[in-house]
Amino acid sequence: MFSAGNITEKLRVASFNCSGETVVDLYAGIGYFTIPFLVHAGASHVHACEWNPDAVEALQRNLGIKWSVASLHRPQQRQPATPIV
């Protein structure tokens, strides 16, 4: 999700020194923070977690050649709990 109000946070994340680090990006969306972690902060690997199938598709496209240093995690659909009798 792009928001002009988030640009300072995106720049702050991009300025991190994550060399050799593994990062977990919960609610990764289209990669708004995943990509700066990889490209600018130097993370060695990012685990991107996202529910929305449309965002997952966009994230896969946005990662492009960086796909080899990112793992995309899509949680399974929620199942109703089995009643305990």
Side-chain angles (χ1 to χ4, degrees):
M1 165 205 82
F2 175 78
S3 169
N6 287 344
I7 194 67
T8 54
E9 183 64 8
K10 186 175 181 179
L11 292 172
R12 187 178 76 85
V13 166
S15 73
F16 290 167
N17 178 7
C18 295
S19 297
E21 298 288 335
T22 298
V23 175
V24 177
D25 185 3
L26 299 176
Y27 307 101
I30 63 170
Y32 196 76
F33 294 110
T34 302
I35 294 170
F37 274 125
L38 290 168
V39 175
H40 300 292
S44 63
H45 195 90
V46 175
H47 290 277
C49 306
E50 179 55 50
W51 286 90
N52 183 318
D54 294 326
V56 168
E57 183 181 333
L59 177 57
Q60 288 173 325
R61 277 195 318 270
N62 290 339
L63 283 170
I65 63 169
K66 288 289 185 184
W67 183 246
S68 63
V69 292
S71 298
L72 182 55
H73 302 278
R74 292 175 51 186
Q76 298 298 317
Q77 292 290 47
R78 295 181 189 186
Q79 299 296 323
T82 304
I84 299 175
V85 181

